Amino acid sequence: MGVCPPARMAQLRDNFTGLLHPWARPEVLTCTSWGAPIVWDGTFDPDAARQQATRQNLTIGLTVFAVGRYLEKYLERFLESAEQHFMVGQRVVYYVFTERPAAVPHVPLGPGRMLRVERVVRERRWQDVSMQRMHTLHEALGGRLGREAHFVLCMDVDQHFSAAFGPEALGESVAQLHAWHYRWPRRLLPFERDSRSAAALGPGEGDFYYHAAVFGGSVAALRGLTAHCARGLRRDRERGLEARWHDESHLNKFFWLHKPAKVLSPEFCWCPDLGRRPDIRCPRLLWAPKEYAELRD
Ligand code: 2GW
Ligand code: MN
């Protein structure tokens, strides 16, 4: 099904990940139509990925927003589990964005790992908390974060790591397959379809439905991504529109126009409510149970 042509293989070896065995997972798609690897457990060599990242002396940024009740509810477990599993052995800078820096938990960090807290203002509507992230990230990438890190992953806080999440997840631009939708027919994917929205995709458009809970890339690529999404979000707001899945809709539009260099399988951001599935061999990051009724008011 998803084996890459040999000509792509040489390129993939340079893609930070030692992606050497796409044929190891014949039951899933391991390569997109534009030649980007889709990273599944078994298709990469974690040690080769680690070594390659270490040789390049990378600094990896991990951004996360923890505003309002999400700080107490999710941040500590997110950070503690990241210490266990996220880019172990690499240089890592966590960037926590919150309106209450003093309330950020003191999680002991391993050597070469650092945490920076950035103050943000709290938006009134939850949709705005989520959407404002693109603008805030854009500014951060233009400042200290952008100078400090080579690659950055941007994540939701309402999840925790459960297995190794290493440099195999790094690339020039990285998109996450959404756990709910990765096996759906393309025409049913929940893209924004209202043509008035900046996030709109026309009939027949859209490759995959990507989850905004994990996206990443080089600083330059993410500057472009966040600028695009922040611009689209602002334009929609000026016209009294709000895309179906907020910032995620704009992210999906961006990745339709600018194909990701690497795609992460749903193992990299899995929803435990979906149960055990034979293609999900090694979930690395698990969604926390949704408590919309309690948290969205
Ligand atoms: C968000 C919604 C309702 C109530 C509160 C919040 C909220 C979000 C908050 O009070 N404080 C906060 O820090 N956040 C941040 O925004 C936090 O990092 C959280 O993980 C992120 C996205 O909100 P979340 O996780 O509740 O939304 P999901 O899991 O449904 O996320 C998907 O859809 C969102 C847009 O609706 C985003 O695109 C998100 O990236 C997607 O994963
Ligand atoms: Mn979330």
Side-chain angles (χ1 to χ4, degrees), residues 156 158 213 290:
D156 275 13
D158 58 339
K290 287 282 165 205

Side-chain angles (χ1 to χ4, degrees), residues 195-226:
S195 60
R196 294 172 303 162
S197 168
L201 291 182
E205 294 186 337
D207 301 298
F208 301 101
Y209 191 78
Y210 302 116
H211 193 181
V214 176
F215 59 91
S218 70
V219 169
L222 285 175
R223 282 279 289 172
L225 180 157
T226 51

Side-chain angles (χ1 to χ4, degrees), residues 64-71 74 97 99 122 125-127 129-131 133-134 155-159 178 180 209 211-215 244-249 251 269 287-288 290-292 294-297:
V64 68
F65 286 71
V67 173
R69 277 176 281 181
Y70 275 41
L71 198 162
Y74 300 116
F97 297 86
E99 86 287 16
R122 181 171 181 183
R125 296 168 63 244
W126 66 259
Q127 294 90 338
V129 170
S130 180
M131 292 190 294
R133 290 184 298 167
M134 287 295 181
M155 296 195 187
D156 275 13
V157 74
D158 58 339
Q159 43 191 357
H178 197 294
W180 287 355
Y209 191 78
H211 193 181
V214 176
F215 59 91
R244 183 165 175 192
W245 287 106
H246 317 107
D247 45 313
E248 190 167 81
S249 303
L251 182 80
C269 188
W287 305 12
K290 287 282 165 205
E291 294 168 43
Y292 285 146
E294 181 196 332
L295 291 164
R296 295 197 166 172
D297 45 34

Side-chain angles (χ1 to χ4, degrees), residues 116-130:
R116 297 197 186 282
V117 182
E118 300 285 322
R119 187 190 292 274
V120 294
V121 294
R122 181 171 181 183
E123 301 291 330
R124 208 170 44 83
R125 296 168 63 244
W126 66 259
Q127 294 90 338
D128 293 333
V129 170
S130 180

